[in-house]
Amino acid sequence: MIRLDDSHTEVTSLSNPGVIRNFRVQVRQSSGSIWQMYRTFRRRSEAESCIADLQRAGMSARLVDCDRCPTAI
């Protein structure tokens, strides 16, 4: 089961039609550490598959859906 972490702060801005939507996978070493970029995907299904693999390996992973302002996260 994929556990999505929604505890991050969402950034709201006007949609930019020139920005391609992407899905970022972030990981962290422990519950007190910061989230770090792991990989970026164009398809949500690929990002969710990556998260599932990381979680099976015992890592904390989350999905960040970047559809409005991908440089702000």
Side-chain angles (χ1 to χ4, degrees), residues 3-48:
R3 183 175 51 89
L4 301 178
D5 184 342
D6 61 359
S7 63
H8 63 283
T9 302
E10 293 185 25
V11 177
T12 305
S13 69
L14 295 175
S15 182
N16 182 349
V19 174
I20 297 172
R21 184 177 195 163
N22 63 79
F23 302 91
R24 295 181 178 185
V25 173
Q26 296 180 339
V27 296
R28 68 179 173 181
Q29 300 300 317
S30 64
S31 61
S33 63
I34 63 170
W35 290 100
Q36 297 179 334
M37 176 68 71
Y38 183 75
R39 284 191 65 189
T40 300
F41 298 89
R42 294 260 178 108
R43 293 187 178 95
R44 184 182 187 103
S45 61
E46 293 172 349
E48 289 176 343

Side-chain angles (χ1 to χ4, degrees), residues 51-69:
I51 290 171
D53 291 343
L54 290 168
Q55 289 178 342
R56 277 193 291 275
M59 297 183 72
S60 291
R62 73 178 182 181
L63 174 69
V64 179
D65 183 346
C66 300
D67 67 340
R68 297 193 183 275
C69 190

